[in-house]
Amino acid sequence: MPVKIRLQRHGKKGKPFYWIVAADSRSKREGKFLEKLGTYNPNTNPASIDLNLDNSVQWLQNGAQPTDTARAILSYKGVMMKYHLLAGVRKGAHTEEQAEEKFAAWLAEKADRIAAKVGGLDKAKAEAKAAALKAEKEVNEKRALAAAEAALPEEEEIVEQAPVVEEAAAEEVAEAVAETPAVEEAPAEEAPAAEAATEEVAAPAEEASKEEE
C-alpha cells in the first residue's frame, strides 16, 4: 500500500491549521489517515510546528513519500537530516554515536538560527512601533502648528483695530473742544450789535423830543 506523508487541512476560514499525517495515497485529502505525526500552524511568525520526529523517520524508512510541503516541514524540523544519517549508519559510513553527535550539532545550529530570526522579528517590530509613534508625533505637531497659525491672524486684527478706535475717540474729543469756544464766544460777539440797536432806538427818541420843543 503506497503511503504519503501530507497535510490535512483544519481550522477556520482564512485561518488554516494543518495536521501532518501518514495516509494512504488513494484516500481523500480530508479522509482517513493511518497516523497523525504532528501539526503545522502557518498563522504565527515563525510558523509553529509540532512533530513526532522518530515516528516520522520510521515512516520514511518504511517507504512513505512526503509531499513537497510535507518534505519542507520535515526538513525544517530535522527529520530528513536524521533519516539520511541513519541511512549512513546502515551503510557503515559512520557509527550511531557519530550520527547522534552530528544530529545534535545540527539541532543546536538550527535553534540558534531560529532564535536569531525571532530576535530580528522582535527588533523589526520595535523599530516599526517607534517609527509609527514618531510619525504620529510629527502629525500632531503639524496639526498644532496649523491651529496656531489659523488663530494668529485674528489676534493681529484685534491689535490693529485697537489704535483705530483710540484715534477716532481722540478726534471726537478734539472736535468737541474746538466747538465749545465757538458756543461760548457767540454772546460776546452779539453784544456790540445789541448796543448798536439800543443806540438806534435812542436816537429817534431824542430827535422826536427836539421837534416837539
Side-chain angles (χ1 to χ4, degrees):
M1 177 178 65
V3 177
K4 278 190 173 295
I5 298 177
R6 63 189 184 189
L7 302 184
Q8 190 177 83
R9 194 183 191 284
H10 294 270
K12 298 179 180 179
K13 184 177 180 180
K15 290 186 177 181
F17 182 83
Y18 298 94
W19 289 2
I20 304 170
V21 299
D24 188 344
S25 60
R26 295 167 293 184
S27 64
K28 295 181 180 180
R29 189 186 69 172
E30 312 302 337
K32 294 181 180 180
F33 55 86
L34 301 173
E35 184 181 358
K36 179 182 175 182
L37 300 175
T39 59
Y40 167 58
N41 182 10
N43 300 309
T44 61
N45 190 12
S48 300
I49 302 173
D50 183 16
L51 187 65
N52 189 325
L53 191 143
D54 292 333
N55 289 2
S56 298
V57 171
Q58 186 175 357
W59 275 107
L60 290 175
Q61 290 175 339
N62 292 336
Q65 295 297 318
T67 62
D68 292 341
T69 305
R71 180 181 291 275
I73 293 173
L74 296 178
S75 178
Y76 180 81
K77 296 299 291 184
V79 174
M80 302 304 295
M81 179 68 177
K82 189 168 186 179
Y83 171 71
H84 290 300
L85 288 174
L86 292 177
V89 171
R90 287 196 303 270
K91 294 178 181 179
H94 45 255
T95 63
E96 187 172 351
E97 289 78 10
Q98 291 174 338
E100 289 295 334
E101 290 177 0
K102 290 182 179 180
F103 185 67
W106 184 90
L107 287 178
E109 184 182 354
K110 184 72 173 180
D112 292 340
R113 291 200 299 268
I114 293 174
K117 182 179 179 181
V118 172
L121 291 174
D122 293 340
K123 183 178 179 180
K125 289 180 180 178
E127 290 177 353
K129 185 177 181 180
L133 291 174
K134 183 179 179 181
E136 184 178 357
K137 184 178 180 180
E138 290 177 355
V139 171
N140 292 335
E141 290 177 353
K142 288 180 180 179
R143 289 178 179 175
L145 182 60
E149 290 178 352
L152 186 60
E154 297 179 359
E155 295 178 357
E156 291 179 353
E157 289 177 1
I158 294 173
V159 173
E160 291 176 357
Q161 289 176 2
V164 175
V165 173
E166 292 177 358
E167 290 177 2
E171 290 177 0
E172 291 179 359
V173 172
E175 290 177 0
V177 172
E179 292 176 356
T180 302
V183 174
E184 292 177 353
E185 292 174 357
E189 292 177 357
E190 291 176 357
E195 292 176 357
T198 305
E199 291 176 357
E200 291 177 358
V201 173
E206 289 177 357
E207 293 178 357
S209 60
K210 287 179 180 181
E211 290 177 356
E212 290 175 357
E213 294 177 354

